[in-house]
C-alpha cells in the first residue's frame, strides 16, 4: 500500500518533514456572521445566495 493511502503514514511523513506550506488567501469575500441553520435546505439557500453575491462582485482573488 502506498503512503498516500494511509492517513497515519501521511501525518508521520509531514511531522518528520516539519515544513510549513503557505496556503493561498482569498481576497474579496463578502463578510458574513456565524449562523445556525434549521436544515440543509436553508443552509444551501444561504450558500447559493452567498456564491451569487461573490459572482456579482467579480469573484475573489487568490494570493499567497
Amino acid at each position: 500500500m502506498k503512503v498516500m493511502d494511509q492517513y497515519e503514514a501521511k501525518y508521520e511523513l509531514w511531522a518528520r518533514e516539519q515544513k510549513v506550506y503557505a496556503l493561498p488567501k482569498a481576497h474579496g469575500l463578502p463578510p458574513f456572521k456565524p449562523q445556525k441553520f434549521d436544515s440543509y435546505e436553508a443552509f444551501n439557500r444561504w450558500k447559493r445566495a452567498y456564491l451569487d453575491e461573490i459572482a456579482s462582485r467579480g469573484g475573489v482573488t487568490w494570493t499567497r
Side-chain angles (χ1 to χ4, degrees), residues 17-35:
E17 192 172 313
Q18 294 185 0
K19 184 174 182 182
V20 177
Y21 294 95
L23 297 175
K25 296 178 183 174
H27 294 279
L29 288 174
F32 63 91
K33 297 178 182 177
Q35 301 178 41

Side-chain angles (χ1 to χ4, degrees), residues 16-50:
R16 242 186 295 131
E17 192 172 313
Q18 294 185 0
K19 184 174 182 182
V20 177
Y21 294 95
L23 297 175
K25 296 178 183 174
H27 294 279
L29 288 174
F32 63 91
K33 297 178 182 177
Q35 301 178 41
K36 292 184 179 182
F37 300 97
D38 294 330
S39 65
Y40 285 112
E41 291 81 16
F43 169 67
N44 287 331
R45 279 193 304 273
W46 173 85
K47 184 171 61 172
R48 175 53 47 201
Y50 188 72

